[in-house]
Amino acid sequence: VRQLARTPSYAVINATLVTLAPLARRTTAFARVADEDLGVVRGGALIVERGRIVASGSRAQCEAARCAVAARAGEQFEEIDAGGRALLPGLIDAHTHALFAGDRIADFEALAAGETPPLGIRYTVEQTRKCDLDGLIALGARHLQLLLAHGTTTAEIKSGYALTADGEALMLRAMAGLDAREDLPHVVATFCGAHGLPPEFHDYDAFADELCNRILPRVADLHIAKFADAFCETNYFTPAQSRRFLQACAKRGMRLRLHADELSASGGAALAAELRCASADHLNFIGEDGARRLAAAGTIAVLCPATTEYLDLERWAPARMLIDGGVPVALATDFNPGTSPCCSLQTVAHLARRRLGMSAAETIAGVTIQAARSLGLDGEAGALLPGYRADLALFEFSDPRLFGYYFGTNVLQSVALGQ
Ligand SMILES: [Zn+2]
């Protein structure tokens, strides 16, 4: 992964800045994103001091800050000429399962042959349970490197491949270890206990009891998980079981996300709105009533078109209906071994534009500021403004409309991780 700068304080000049400033200044949720909302500055400059943005805008606007920071940093100051390329906030992946062991090649080959995948989440649970803390961190680091190589500087990661009190605690401790690494994307940890049924359980109600009575207390005491999540779906966790688990998590201080209406219309969006979840994810099968409820609740839709592509699902998420109905839309890879082995938000951006009908501006907002808001990172990540973390992604193109145009091609030039 090419680093944008070698020093913690530096200036980027001659960049096409995609600041997202007009959106970052809004205090309430927004769904519509117009081209002007990207806050593009051509020939722009961005000044960073010790991993934080201190100025962004025209060269003239940044000159005083550049002089002051350069004077304080002395020899340790670099000036990078971006050559007119587009500089975006580092991309934010609001939905991944990036901590897992093993692959699911047999599932892939079954899918390709039109057969039922034989392994499922259970196989990944079996493989992940064999790992100790160091092993988990090594696997997670490899996956985070891949995400970073495609421009992602913050990734939400869900637990849910251990499904025991000790195992889920270990997954969350690994996430904390990964988040502490300065060479990897920032990690937002989600306790996704209601992810599947572990092999030693045969009943979702009984496992929901186990989650609330044993696994949650252990996990909550660590204070690592910022969010909790459940897989609410026909033949998996019902809305009632998901509600019981998530309400218990909320009582322990976690905010909520929900896998909702991914494979069928199963009441997920209505439940996400009822619980005032920060995000409702997937939503391939959401209807207009569900969209109205999400809009009223201020819940952000996190759409995962790479999963739709990989599973060849019959319905793409209705992004246009959501946006027109007032639901903010973020985009994510859903990176996981069984249903989305995709680490590239650039590929997701292509699918969003080609398959979901989203504009370049909506797509860019979806992988930056909307994703940041869904993760509670307002004012910290997702825009190029003073005070924000200097998480940056410099792309080979200069016209922001080219974001999502390339596919199967990594057009990241370099990346920076702020502090
Ligand atoms: Zn997921």
Side-chain angles (χ1 to χ4, degrees), residues 95-97 156 158 161 192 195 229 231 259 262 281-282 304 307 334-336 339:
H95 182 145
T96 87
H97 304 257
E156 184 258 13
K158 302 176 195 298
Y161 287 130
C192 188
H195 189 206
D229 192 351
F231 189 53
H259 285 71
E262 176 183 1
D281 300 32
H282 290 289
C304 307
T307 312
D334 187 23
F335 175 52
N336 77 81
T339 66

Side-chain angles (χ1 to χ4, degrees), residues 24 66 89 128 152 163 187 207 286:
R66 189 188 69 81
T128 306
T152 297
L163 306 176
V187 172
F207 185 56
I286 189 175

